[in-house]
Amino acid sequence: MSVSPTSSSYSASGSYQSPLAMSGLATGMDTSTIIQELMSIAKQPVVNLQNQQTTDNNKLSTYRDLNTKLSALQTAANNLTGVDFNTSPLASMSATAGNTALFSATASNGSTAGTYTVNITQLATAETGIFVPPTSSAGGSFQINGATVNVNAGDSATQIAAAINANTATGVSAAVVTDSGGTQNLILTGQSTGTNYTLSDPSGLLGTGTTTSAQKAQATIDGIAVSSNTNTFSNIVNGVDLTASATGSSTLTVAA
């Protein structure tokens, strides 16, 4: 673009002629594009401010959402006022035996806190039977807990024990102990404590024998009698399980 000074003049019609003349065509410059770029540069600060405003608005929205959640959390916390965490399901509790040789104990969350006196008076046992089968079996069958055990003619005590152990439905374990006199004793032991097994042997295949009945575990807690088929007393105190290992008296402490 060139600017050329000229002398002012009036045309024949009386119109005014400017002393400056602009000519883009004369220099080959794209004056329109140059002007648009200059305007774009001039507007850039405004664009930057608009972008920053959008970013700030997004942050403000996030802060508002966080504030709403914090307010809800504060409300929930206020509702916990007056909660006894020793009895609340949120409380983590433990149970401790004064004498761990007598028993162990576990406590669930929400167990009742306190100290108790526990006296283990009897441990749970299974029924046992000692039999002396004939030296040479006549063969036949007998039933233990309703499960049939077949015996072949001539079977020894050891072979009868093997037949019993092969039938898991009997619910007993069989073993043979030979005494000092050479007699083979067949020992039957129930697999469950606290309950007796049933034995039906009309043919006398097991020979003569004696049995010792099963017994339940017995205890008192603060003088209150409790019992269990096993040596584990479930829920002996609210939320506390106790497993006995010997007889005797000790304290049980439940605390957070």
Side-chain angles (χ1 to χ4, degrees), residues 69-80:
K69 292 179 178 179
L70 288 175
S71 178
L73 178 60
Q74 183 178 18
T75 299
N78 290 339
N79 290 336
L80 293 177

Side-chain angles (χ1 to χ4, degrees), residues 88-159:
S88 169
L90 299 176
S92 178
M93 307 294 286
S94 64
T96 306
N99 184 350
T100 55
L102 300 182
F103 62 83
S104 61
T106 58
S108 60
N109 291 351
S111 298
T112 303
T115 300
Y116 311 89
T117 299
V118 177
N119 185 20
I120 309 296
T121 58
Q122 178 175 282
L123 295 178
T125 61
E127 180 182 10
T128 59
I130 302 176
F131 302 88
V132 181
T135 305
S136 181
S137 173
S141 64
F142 55 87
Q143 291 185 327
I144 303 176
N145 286 331
T148 299
V149 178
N150 295 311
V151 176
N152 297 318
D155 278 354
S156 65
T158 300
Q159 290 170 315

Side-chain angles (χ1 to χ4, degrees), residues 22 44 69 103 118 128-129 173 176 190 206 218 223 232 244:
M22 302 178 65
Q44 189 59 46
K69 292 179 178 179
F103 62 83
V118 177
T128 59
S173 298
V176 175
L206 297 179
Q218 305 283 348
T232 295

Side-chain angles (χ1 to χ4, degrees), residues 144 149 158-170 172-176 186-189 191:
I144 303 176
V149 178
T158 300
Q159 290 170 315
I160 294 174
I164 294 172
N165 291 330
N167 189 343
T168 57
T170 62
V172 301
S173 298
V176 175
L186 178 65
I187 301 176
L188 301 183
T189 304
Q191 294 174 352

Side-chain angles (χ1 to χ4, degrees), residues 32-43:
S32 176
T33 299
I34 293 174
I35 291 172
Q36 290 177 356
E37 290 179 352
L38 289 174
M39 292 178 64
S40 176
I41 293 172
K43 290 191 299 182

